[in-house]
């Protein structure tokens, strides 16, 4: 595998794992309906972790591009939520991850052409 593929796959997978970690933390810290929402979020985050692992086993650039775009959108959405709750860490962390993933994806796309 070539460097742009590996970098993009690593950034994408790391992004998915971090999202899963936040979902798991929410499950452990919430009760009632908030815990139910966290469980749904965790199910989706777990699916994204599995999907982000696929390129490591298949070498599929197309799959990696698709899951990278998905994680870019997820992290950008998380940054918007961080802004709405006025939490700098929950704004700049996801925004930085989204930007890093976008740059890695653009590097991958450029190298494939």
């Amino acid at each position: 595998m070539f460097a742009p593929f590996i970098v993009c796959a690593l950034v994408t997978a790391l992004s998915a794992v971090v999202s899963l970690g936040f979902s798991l933390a929410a499950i452990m810290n919430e009760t009632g309906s908030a815990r139910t929402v966290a469980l749904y979020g965790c199910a989706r985050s777990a699916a994204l972790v599995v999907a982000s692992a696929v390129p490591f086993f298949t070498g599929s650039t197309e799959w990696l591009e698709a899951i990278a775009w998905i994680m870019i959108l997820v992290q950008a959405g998380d940054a918007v939520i961080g802004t709405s709750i006025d939490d700098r860490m929950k704004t700049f962390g996801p925004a930085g991850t989204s930007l890093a993933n976008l740059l890695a994806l653009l590097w991958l796309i450029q190298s494939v052409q």
Side-chain angles (χ1 to χ4, degrees), residues 84-106:
S84 72
I85 62 173
D86 200 30
D87 186 323
R88 293 174 60 93
M89 186 68 166
K90 291 180 182 174
T91 299
F92 293 115
T97 303
S98 182
L99 179 60
N101 211 345
L102 177 61
L103 293 173
L105 176 60
L106 292 175

Side-chain angles (χ1 to χ4, degrees), residues 10-88:
L10 286 172
V11 172
T12 300
L14 179 62
S15 176
V17 168
V18 169
S19 288
L20 178 59
F22 277 103
S23 296
L24 290 170
I27 288 171
M28 294 186 290
N29 293 322
E30 299 297 336
T31 59
S33 62
R35 187 169 190 274
T36 301
V37 171
L39 286 166
Y40 279 109
C42 188
R44 283 149 182 79
S45 294
L48 291 171
V49 168
V50 172
S52 71
V54 169
F56 291 105
F57 299 106
T58 65
S60 173
T61 301
E62 294 83 6
W63 185 278
L64 177 55
E65 288 179 16
I67 192 67
W69 278 118
I70 290 166
M71 289 313 303
I72 290 165
L73 293 171
V74 166
Q75 293 295 344
D78 287 350
V80 170
I81 293 167
T83 300
S84 72
I85 62 173
D86 200 30
D87 186 323
R88 293 174 60 93

